[in-house]
Amino acid sequence: FIQFYVESIEIEGVRKGTMLVLRDVTKETEMDRLKSELVSTVSHELRTPLSSIYGFTELMLNRDIDVSRQDRYLKTIHSETERLANLVNDFLDVQRMESGTQSYQKGLIDLRPLLEETTQFYAASTAQHTITFYAHDDASYPLIEADEEKMKQLMNNLLNNAVKYSPLGGNIEVALTVDHQYVQIDVRDEGIGIPSNALEKLFEKFYRVDNSDSRKIGGTGLGLAICKEIVEGHGGNISVASIEKRGSTFTVKLPHIVTTYETVSDMIDIS
Ligand code: ADP
């Protein structure tokens, strides 16, 4: 975005000419857009968990409620509080992305147990979906240099979406493969899919597909933007292939710097 205006040039109060000033205001315009998106998302997304926490605590304070109902209410309050905490963390992440202060605590990590663990966690927490993890048993997987917490956050966001945007009974698969340069993670679902005209904007901050399904499901449009930031912060790339009403596959490629476990032990021997 270019803003332009005319200014007069005066020397000692005498007008000597005029000047056309062009100013690149792309950054300011983008910041304004983000701020107004933030305000509307915050007000919309915070209201639901807050009113549910408020309602259930009020019920528990004012009524005589049997233990099993108390237990149900507490579970709801707990999960809604978790949802609020995740929202706040996402907003903080985006703020760090904007200000360029996002930092990574990188170390050598093995993605396979990490993926197994996050997949198992999601499989245990949903009875309505089948979540399966695939990796070749016999392959020795290369290590990658990465921030373990951020890798978990990446997988959580992708799996969370796969569950959120799939109907009950949908199958979800996480597959880990390797080539000579990259480790590749595919997260596949049989969910609502994404219209082709939305694919290129999907990783933008606050972008949400504008259809009745997505509106009903709710969200901030930040999860995938955070995924992209994490993946690119590790020298990799993320992409999506999807067919509406059939399902989506999110593919993450991360470079491995050390090709096999043997190479790691060789390196240790040498040093
Ligand atoms: P949120 O889910 O909070 O809206 P995301 O950034 O995680 O935000 O996703 C952006 C949008 O991409 C979602 O609103 C949804 O429309 C679409 N989307 C993401 N993942 C999937 C998926 N697995 N299947 C279908 N649509 C998806």
Side-chain angles (χ1 to χ4, degrees), residues 73-84:
Y73 292 174
L74 279 175
K75 280 191 179 124
T76 309
I77 293 168
H78 184 260
S79 67
E80 292 296 88
T81 312
E82 200 177 355
R83 192 167 145 194
L84 283 178

Side-chain angles (χ1 to χ4, degrees), residues 45 90 157-166 187-189 191-195 198 201-211 213-215 217-227 240 242 247-250:
E45 284 298 309
D90 279 359
N157 285 355
L158 294 177
L159 279 165
N160 201 20
N161 279 349
V163 170
K164 206 163 102 173
Y165 297 105
S166 289
V187 179
R188 266 180 233 118
D189 66 58
I192 63 173
I194 299 155
K201 300 197 204 95
L202 213 66
F203 297 96
E204 287 176 11
K205 289 178 233 49
F206 296 107
Y207 180 78
R208 307 202 67 229
V209 173
D210 188 18
N211 60 24
D213 281 336
S214 291
R215 266 196 301 276
I217 294 166
T220 57
L222 293 178
L224 288 179
I226 293 171
C227 287
V240 57
S242 183
S248 313
T249 301
F250 285 85

Side-chain angles (χ1 to χ4, degrees), residues 18-264:
T18 47
M19 178 167 60
L20 178 64
V21 183
L22 301 177
R23 212 161 73 86
D24 181 356
V25 290
T26 316
K27 187 99 188 134
E28 282 97 324
T29 312
E30 174 65 3
M31 287 309 277
D32 284 348
R33 184 184 73 84
L34 287 179
K35 271 188 208 146
S36 64
E37 295 269 22
L38 189 70
V39 172
S40 72
T41 309
V42 167
S43 42
H44 186 257
E45 284 298 309
L46 292 188
R47 199 176 285 152
T48 322
L50 274 179
S51 60
S52 140
I53 291 169
Y54 185 76
F56 282 114
T57 45
E58 198 164 60
L59 267 178
M60 290 179 73
L61 287 170
N62 296 332
R63 299 236 184 108
D64 214 5
I65 292 168
D66 65 55
V67 179
S68 83
R69 272 170 80 194
Q70 267 184 26
D71 192 50
R72 254 193 303 136
Y73 292 174
L74 279 175
K75 280 191 179 124
T76 309
I77 293 168
H78 184 260
S79 67
E80 292 296 88
T81 312
E82 200 177 355
R83 192 167 145 194
L84 283 178
N86 287 338
L87 272 175
V88 172
N89 285 336
D90 279 359
F91 291 138
L92 289 176
D93 271 341
V94 167
Q95 196 264 330
R96 280 188 215 109
M97 277 156 62
E98 283 311 305
S99 59
T101 53
Q102 183 69 273
S103 64
Y104 298 106
Q105 309 288 319
K106 289 183 186 170
L108 281 184
I109 64 164
D110 185 351
L111 267 184
R112 193 180 147 136
L114 189 146
L115 293 193
E116 242 163 0
E117 201 181 295
T118 31
T119 312
Q120 269 163 16
F121 172 81
Y122 272 88
S125 65
T126 169
Q128 290 94 0
H129 300 88
T130 311
I131 309 184
T132 324
F133 173 64
Y134 295 97
H136 286 293
D137 270 345
D138 51 342
S140 73
Y141 281 89
L143 303 180
I144 62 165
E145 194 179 24
D147 183 323
E148 194 165 344
E149 286 311 308
K150 296 289 170 193
M151 288 297 118
K152 285 185 186 158
Q153 189 182 0
L154 166 73
M155 288 313 296
N156 280 334
N157 285 355
L158 294 177
L159 279 165
N160 201 20
N161 279 349
V163 170
K164 206 163 102 173
Y165 297 105
S166 289
L168 303 186
N171 290 312
I172 295 164
E173 288 175 7
V174 177
L176 175 64
T177 47
V178 188
D179 67 17
H180 65 286
Q181 204 180 351
Y182 293 103
V183 286
Q184 178 170 329
I185 308 163
D186 289 298
V187 179
R188 266 180 233 118
D189 66 58
E190 301 172 342
I192 63 173
I194 299 155
S196 55
N197 63 358
L199 289 174
E200 67 180 70
K201 300 197 204 95
L202 213 66
F203 297 96
E204 287 176 11
K205 289 178 233 49
F206 296 107
Y207 180 78
R208 307 202 67 229
V209 173
D210 188 18
N211 60 24
S212 60
D213 281 336
S214 291
R215 266 196 301 276
K216 249 185 282 158
I217 294 166
T220 57
L222 293 178
L224 288 179
I226 293 171
C227 287
K228 183 170 154 71
E229 174 83 10
I230 294 175
V231 172
E232 290 181 354
H234 285 80
N237 60 67
I238 183 166
S239 57
V240 57
S242 183
I243 301 176
E244 256 192 301
K245 298 192 171 64
R246 297 279 288 280
S248 313
T249 301
F250 285 85
T251 299
V252 171
K253 284 184 167 197
L254 294 163
H256 51 79
I257 39 161
V258 184
T259 45
T260 61
Y261 287 117
E262 289 81 55
T263 322
V264 178

